[in-house]
Every structure is written in structure tokens, then in C-alpha cells.
């Protein structure tokens, strides 16, 4: 099938089934807009011989591309994201000012289709901070959400999380809303696959606890290890799918589907503990980025269940004093009927 978009047509033969795979499961899209085909490259860059998608494209073709995609898929989108990592020349090879022009064209077309659909930037990668600062300054008041990317473990996420906020404070933003639209961890060995799953859960909890609007996981195996060539991201092959990360994330979603973040109990000496409210009580998530340690949680609950990172459940002996081992994989405790929870051996914050 083809959708008319002005000076070109858009084939949706492959896109439609991909979208249905998510929307049929009640998922919403990050509708990420890149560029139309290479034939539409801006004449200024006509002599570029490879990777033409990285450069500005003709305005008429670009607007048609945005218009067609948003008209067809906008109703399924949670937000629309314009391009990817524009502060990294490996993605946006044009001038920074040309990206601002491209963003403005996209925003105008999106608003023609929807007055309410949130618009965000291609996630900042912080590769060249002068470029990042330029985009932060010139997109001020243009964004409903501010996207940033961060790969690696929790320590690296904290760095990028704080850097994103500092750059926007310096530019005078008031009450910006952040969303992490790409966070991953290379996992081409089995031990790295385990570390990937641990890092996913740490970053999910940290971003939730500190006010990000959401987080999108980039959890392929990333099988480009020593002696490997090409771009084998391991998305499709069953043997290379990130099994630990998928299992741990699925258990996390089941465990916290009914929860709302309440407060940070501690982020001290490598131990993290977060409290959540549920319709029937409280839940607590704990993990350690350093050595494991025993942590006791007190409550006024009538019953308590300890849940491991893969969703396995075991009833606690004493619901009012539950001692767990906080290690690399998070552990969750469900307190039925509780109105309060606290840490007995580490001051709550």
C-alpha cells in the first residue's frame, strides 16, 4: 500500500505490520522521524556519496514525509521524536542551524495534524557538548519533552541525567520534562548479558524515582565483540536475544504495574531503596551498586511477600520486620495493607 504525501509516496507495506505488532498489544509508539529517501537530499549535499540520510533533505519532500507518517500513525503515538542524536555528527552531519530548520519544519507539520501530540528532540548523546548547548538554546520553548540518551551502567546514567539537567538550567529552562529515549548496555558475552539486565533495572528505578517522564530500553545483545565485524545487533536471532534483560523487565512491569512512586528511602553508600504506593499497600525496591548488604524494612503491614528480579515470590515470616539481601539484582517487597514503610538500619530520606 502507498500513502500520498505530496511530491512523493510512502510505502507502508512493511511499516503497517510492524506498528500493528505493538498497537495490537496496547502499546504506544515513540514515532521517531528520520529523513525521506536519499533522492530527496538537499542539493547542497548532492556530492555526498554515502550515508546521505545524515544530511538535510529538501523541504518539500521532508514535509511530505512527516505529514504522511504523522497522519497515519500519530494516533498511536505517545510522542513524536524528531531525528536521533543531532549533537552527534555520526547522525546529523549538516550544520547545527540546518537541524533547527528541519526541526521547525517537522513541528509545523505535526501541529497541522495534532495540537496535543507531544514533540521531542532526537535524544541528546552529549558527544560534542558545544553542539548540545546550541540545540538546547535554540530549541528552548519548542519542546514538550526533552530527550536524552545514556548507555552503560547506573553510574554512567547518573552522569548523563545530571548533565542534561545542568545544560537546561544554564539555558534558563523552567520546569523542563525529561524522557530517556535510549539506554542500553553492550552484552556480547554471557557475563555482560547478566550485567545488562542488572543495569536495566537500576536505571528503570532511578529514572522513575527522579522524575523522568519515561524510559525506552535499547537491549539488544550488541554482539560486536572482539574478532567480530559488521553491525550484528542481535535483535532477531533467538540465541542472541537479551534473555536476562527481557525476563527481568517483564517481572518488573508485572510487579509495579499498580504502583506510584512515593519516595527515596536511601541512596547512600551504594545502597538504593525506593518506596511505592499501591491501591492495597506499599512496595519497596532495593539494590546495591557495591557490596551486598542486609537491609531490614519495617512496616505496619499485615502480610509481606519478597519478590526476586525474575518475579519469583516468597512470603516473609514477619511482615513488620522484613530483612532482605540488597545485591546487584534488585529485590522487591510487597507490603499488603501497609500505610508506612521505613528502613530500620539506614536512615530514611
Amino acid at each position: 500500500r502507498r500513502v500520498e504525501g505530496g511530491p512523493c509516496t510512502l510505502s507502508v507495506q512493511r511499516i503497517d505490520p510492524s506498528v500493528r505488532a505493538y498497537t495490537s498489544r496496547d502499546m504506544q509508539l515513540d514515532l521517531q522521524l528520520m529523513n525521506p529517501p536519499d533522492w530527496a537530499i538537499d542539493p547542497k549535499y548532492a556530492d555526498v556519496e554515502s550515508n546521505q540520510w545524515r544530511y538535510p533533505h529538501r523541504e518539500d519532500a521532508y514535509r511530505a514525509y512527516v505529514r504522511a507518517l504523522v497522519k497515519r500513525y500519530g494516533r498511536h503515538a505517545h510522542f513524536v521524536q524528531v531525528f536521533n542524536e543531532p549533537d552527534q555528527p555520526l547522525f546529523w552531519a549538516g550544520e547545527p542551524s540546518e537541524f533547527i530548520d528541519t526541526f521547525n519544519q517537522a513541528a509545523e507539520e505535526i501541529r497541522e495534524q495534532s495540537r496535543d501530540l507531544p514533540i521531542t528532540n532526537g535524544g541528546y548523546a552529549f558527544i560534542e557538548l558545544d553542539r548540545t548547548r546550541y540545540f538546547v538554546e535554540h530549541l528552548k520553548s519548542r519542546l514538550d519533552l526533552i530527550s536524552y540518551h545514556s548507555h552503560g551502567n547506573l553510574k554512567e546514567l547518573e552522569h548523563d541525567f545530571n548533565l542534561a539537567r545542568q545544560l537546561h538550567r544554564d539555558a534558563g529552562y523552567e520546569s523542563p520534562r525529561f524522557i530517556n529515549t535510549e539506554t542500553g548496555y553492550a552484552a556480547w558475552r554471557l557475563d555482560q548479558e547478566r550485567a545488562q539486565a542488572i543495569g536495566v533495572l537500576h536505571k528503570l528505578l532511578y529514572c522513575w524515582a527522579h522524575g523522568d517522564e519515561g524510559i525506552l530500553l535499547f537491549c539488544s545483545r550488541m554482539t560486536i565483540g572482539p574478532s567480530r565485524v559488521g553491525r550484528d545487533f542481535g535483535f532477531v536471532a533467538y540465541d542472541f536475544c537479551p534473555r536476562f534483560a527481557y525476563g527481568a523487565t517483564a517481572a518488573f512491569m508485572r510487579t509495579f504495574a499498580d504502583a506510584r512512586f512515593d519516595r527515596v528511602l536511601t541512596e547512600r553508600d551504594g545502597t538504593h531503596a525506593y518506596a511505592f504506593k499501591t491501591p492495597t499497600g506499599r512496595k519497596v525496591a532495593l539494590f546495591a551498586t557495591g557490596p551486598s548488604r542486609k537491609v531490614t524494612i519495617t512496616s505496619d503491614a499485615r502480610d509481606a511477600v519478597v519478590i526476586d528480579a525474575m518475579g519469583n515470590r516468597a512470603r516473609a515470616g514477619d511482615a513488620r520486620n522484613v530483612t532482605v539481601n540488597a545485591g546487584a539484582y534488585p529485590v522487591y517487597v510487597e507490603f499488603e495493607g501497609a500505610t508506612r514503610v521505613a528502613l530500620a538500619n539506614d536512615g530514611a530520606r
Side-chain angles (χ1 to χ4, degrees):
R1 301 181 64 189
R2 306 181 76 83
V3 177
E4 293 297 328
C8 59
T9 58
L10 173 70
S11 172
V12 295
Q13 185 176 359
R14 296 173 63 185
I15 303 175
D16 275 1
S18 299
V19 169
R20 282 197 299 271
Y22 293 96
T23 58
S24 65
R25 293 167 172 82
D26 296 325
M27 297 183 187
Q28 291 184 297
L29 307 176
D30 166 2
L31 185 55
Q32 188 170 23
L33 307 174
M34 297 301 285
N35 268 327
D38 289 351
W39 56 259
I41 192 169
D42 189 308
K44 174 182 176 180
Y45 298 101
D47 293 336
V48 173
E49 296 182 353
S50 63
N51 295 321
Q52 292 180 330
W53 61 268
R54 298 166 52 203
Y55 293 85
H57 282 51
R58 286 189 353 233
E59 181 175 349
D60 60 342
Y62 181 72
R63 284 181 177 272
Y65 160 82
V66 173
R67 188 183 311 125
L69 284 178
V70 175
K71 183 176 181 179
R72 191 169 186 85
Y73 303 116
R75 67 186 186 278
H76 300 302
H78 191 63
F79 56 89
V80 180
Q81 187 169 23
V82 181
F83 212 72
N84 184 67
E85 298 185 359
D87 56 343
Q88 179 175 185
L90 285 175
F91 281 98
W92 184 259
E95 296 295 329
S97 61
E98 292 173 317
F99 177 78
I100 299 300
D101 292 339
T102 296
F103 177 91
N104 289 334
Q105 294 161 18
E108 289 173 5
E109 295 298 330
I110 294 165
R111 284 291 166 257
E112 284 294 318
Q113 302 293 329
S114 171
R115 305 306 302 172
D116 303 318
L117 189 58
I119 301 173
T120 188
N121 56 290
Y124 296 131
F126 314 114
I127 300 298
E128 292 191 7
L129 284 182
D130 286 343
R131 287 170 67 99
T132 312
R133 291 188 183 96
Y134 180 91
F135 294 134
V136 168
E137 179 64 31
H138 285 80
L139 291 176
K140 188 176 179 180
S141 77
R142 301 287 291 156
L143 301 171
D144 300 300
L145 298 168
I146 298 165
S147 289
Y148 71 100
H149 293 174
S150 178
H151 291 271
N153 57 26
L154 179 59
K155 183 177 181 180
E156 291 162 308
L157 171 73
E158 288 180 291
H159 172 271
D160 295 335
F161 180 98
N162 291 323
L163 177 58
R165 281 151 175 78
Q166 184 62 55
L167 291 173
H168 288 79
R169 280 195 299 271
D170 292 347
Y173 281 62
E174 296 182 6
S175 303
R177 299 166 62 203
F178 292 92
I179 184 166
N180 186 327
T181 53
E182 185 179 307
T183 183
Y185 189 102
W188 53 269
R189 290 195 317 247
L190 191 62
D191 59 317
Q192 293 175 329
E193 190 176 353
R194 175 180 179 270
Q196 178 191 65
I198 290 168
V200 162
L201 297 176
H202 290 184
K203 292 187 282 189
L204 278 169
L205 286 163
Y206 186 89
C207 287
W208 191 359
H210 289 276
D212 272 4
E213 298 281 331
I215 184 169
L216 282 170
L217 306 178
F218 188 82
C219 285
S220 67
R221 276 290 298 269
M222 296 289 285
T223 56
I224 309 172
S227 301
R228 294 182 182 271
V229 296
R231 297 180 66 80
D232 180 5
F233 285 94
F235 282 121
V236 179
Y238 173 81
D239 290 338
F240 286 101
C241 76
R243 295 154 291 183
F244 300 169
Y246 285 166
T249 304
F252 177 89
M253 293 175 67
R254 285 196 303 271
T255 302
F256 289 95
D258 63 345
R260 292 183 296 108
F261 177 72
D262 182 23
R263 69 189 195 280
V264 176
L265 296 177
T266 190
E267 286 181 335
R268 184 180 303 158
D269 300 327
T271 300
H272 293 245
Y274 304 105
F276 300 83
K277 292 182 178 180
T278 72
T280 59
R282 299 288 188 274
K283 288 180 180 175
V284 174
L286 307 95
F287 64 86
T289 56
S292 299
R293 60 174 295 189
K294 291 190 179 300
V295 178
T296 298
I297 310 162
T298 64
S299 79
D300 59 351
R302 60 176 176 269
D303 196 11
V305 175
V306 179
I307 308 169
D308 71 16
M310 293 298 170
N312 300 299
R313 301 166 65 91
R315 178 161 289 167
D318 179 2
R320 293 176 177 266
N321 291 277
V322 179
T323 299
V324 297
N325 188 50
Y329 272 110
V331 60
Y332 316 125
V333 187
E334 182 178 276
F335 292 95
E336 187 69 24
T339 61
R340 60 173 181 80
V341 291
L343 300 188
N345 50 351
D346 193 341
R349 192 184 64 159

